[in-house]
Amino acid sequence: MPGMHRDRVGRFGPRDPKKSGRVRLALQAGFAALLNGYAAGFAKGRIFTGASKGVCVPVLNCYSCPGALGACPIGSLQAVAGGRSKSVSFYVLGFLMLFGLVFGRLLCGFVCPFGFVQDLLAKIPVKRRKVPEKIDRPARFIKYAMLAGVLVLPALVSAAGGAASPYFCKFFCPAGTLEGGLPLLLADGRLRSLAGALLGWKAFVLLAVVLGSVFIPRFFCRYFCPLGAFYSLFSRFSLYQLKLNESACIGCGRCEAVCPMAVRVTAGKDDGECIRCGKCRDACPAGAICLGFERESGDVSADSGAGT
Amino acid sequence: MAGGKLTKKRKNALRLAVFAAGAAFLAIGLWRGEFADVLQKAVRICLECIGIG
């Protein structure tokens, strides 16, 4: 095809942003429906109890969502750590490492249902806020603290003889409130009668995250998601990569203007924040960005800019 | 962007190490019966997760 050439990662060249955006939203909706495919659960106010619930899904998806067919890895990490083994779950960690190695944060960009919710919220036409860098960059470390808490806190409390709750799920996770809490409480009067101050707190957190996501794209992913923090550790060497052809880049900055994660695309350094959504590739007038699984042969030659 | 300061050789070595560690962790976890732990938690409504506590 004229104006395009292949690199060992994928195809450089101009794209149709509207078409790419529609395809991505359709994929996100499809994955959300697939991961929460037990439709009867929503009507009955019950959760799925089949054997597939022992298998983790690679994204943040509450296992108490009535439709959920698999287990949330963050909830599972805490459940195992706080349970009889009192240690980090090798099963869940191994599972996440393998997914992180292949896909990295592509899972955040295309598969995560809560990421999909945030992308829909970001479509509300309001004036978006650019978070000042001196606040934005340090705040991104909060999600690593969340990850450390998920991995260590239940095991420590459990080992000390206390009852270890899944603290992240209990006090923070907005996905659990949205996907699990709201549908179950709406369908089950007995659960509603048990609701107290904790539900009020979790509803406040959910509301704050929803409002944050309207004004700051991917607000939760940027600052708070422990699973995003985990996958970001694999970004630099995951098999699925984003590549910038620096010789073709014209430095217009459109890629960085459209990036929902405020990644410094043209800096040429993967800081683990990129969710591989492809918005930068679609916005690039020079076709200097491509995404795909890295191949072994061939490389970008210095004079083979896109459009040539 | 992707690649950064990682050489191709180092990147491949990291991939191999992570693959080996991930596969080993998965196998150890299954051997320790963690699948059953996860299943047991996931088939019951997690009251903490939904805000009941």
Side-chain angles (χ1 to χ4, degrees), chain A residues 25-84:
Chain A
L25 276 180
L27 281 170
Q28 287 177 294
F31 278 119
L34 190 71
L35 296 173
N36 298 291
Y38 182 59
F42 290 100
K44 293 177 185 169
R46 292 189 192 146
I47 64 169
F48 181 69
T49 55
S52 66
K53 269 292 188 73
V55 180
C56 289
V57 295
V59 288
L60 198 73
N61 192 65
C62 185
Y63 42 33
S64 288
C65 170
L69 297 172
C72 172
I74 295 299
S76 301
L77 275 171
Q78 294 170 102
V80 174
R84 61 186 167 83

Side-chain angles (χ1 to χ4, degrees), chain A:
Chain A
M1 194 170 180
M4 295 191 178
H5 76 279
R6 292 198 76 86
D7 168 62
R8 69 192 172 99
V9 166
R11 192 183 70 183
F12 284 114
R15 302 273 178 139
D16 177 357
K18 281 188 179 169
K19 188 181 168 194
S20 295
R22 280 197 298 268
V23 168
R24 185 164 152 267
L25 276 180
L27 281 170
Q28 287 177 294
F31 278 119
L34 190 71
L35 296 173
N36 298 291
Y38 182 59
F42 290 100
K44 293 177 185 169
R46 292 189 192 146
I47 64 169
F48 181 69
T49 55
S52 66
K53 269 292 188 73
V55 180
C56 289
V57 295
V59 288
L60 198 73
N61 192 65
C62 185
Y63 42 33
S64 288
C65 170
L69 297 172
C72 172
I74 295 299
S76 301
L77 275 171
Q78 294 170 102
V80 174
R84 61 186 167 83
S85 72
K86 297 179 174 47
S87 77
V88 163
S89 169
F90 287 96
Y91 164 56
V92 182
L93 267 189
F95 178 86
L96 293 179
M97 285 167 80
L98 295 177
F99 268 93
L101 173 65
V102 177
F103 300 105
R105 292 195 78 179
L106 172 71
L107 296 160
C108 309
F110 278 81
V111 184
C112 182
F114 200 66
F116 175 47
V117 169
Q118 289 172 84
D119 284 346
L120 292 178
L121 289 168
K123 288 194 174 296
I124 295 172
V126 293
K127 192 179 177 194
R128 306 265 173 259
R129 304 279 179 240
K130 187 176 183 333
V131 184
E133 201 150 306
K134 64 181 178 187
I135 296 172
D136 178 67
R137 294 290 150 182
R140 288 179 192 245
F141 286 98
I142 296 171
K143 61 179 176 286
Y144 295 99
M146 293 275 186
L147 176 63
V150 162
L151 290 172
V152 178
L153 205 55
L156 283 180
V157 173
S158 180
S165 286
Y167 296 107
F168 175 78
C169 304
K170 183 172 181 176
F171 295 111
F172 200 79
C173 184
T177 317
L178 181 69
E179 298 166 3
L182 289 179
L184 286 175
L185 289 166
L186 285 173
D188 192 332
R190 285 172 307 165
L191 285 175
R192 275 201 302 276
S193 67
L194 295 171
L198 181 63
L199 183 68
W201 165 251
K202 286 207 66 173
F204 169 75
V205 172
L206 175 62
L207 188 66
V209 169
V210 165
L211 282 175
S213 304
V214 171
F215 293 101
I216 302 167
R218 293 277 182 157
F219 176 66
F220 180 74
C221 306
R222 271 196 214 190
Y223 302 120
F224 304 111
C225 182
L227 195 53
F230 185 85
Y231 284 139
S232 75
L233 304 174
F234 299 84
S235 272
R236 292 182 68 195
F237 59 90
S238 64
L239 298 182
Y240 195 87
Q241 290 282 344
L242 183 147
K243 186 142 187 154
L244 171 72
N245 183 349
E246 286 175 30
S247 63
C249 176
I250 56 172
C252 65
R254 287 189 205 175
C255 52
E256 293 176 2
V258 298
C259 178
M261 295 294 285
V263 172
R264 289 174 286 199
V265 183
T266 54
K269 184 171 170 274
D270 195 331
D271 58 4
E273 297 295 325
C274 172
I275 56 169
R276 315 290 195 238
C277 65
K279 284 188 176 178
C280 55
R281 175 198 57 195
D282 300 335
C284 179
I289 297 169
C290 75
L291 285 142
F293 286 101
E294 204 168 82
R295 291 188 295 273
E296 282 305 303
S297 61
D299 209 334
V300 183
S301 58
D303 58 351
S304 63
T308 56

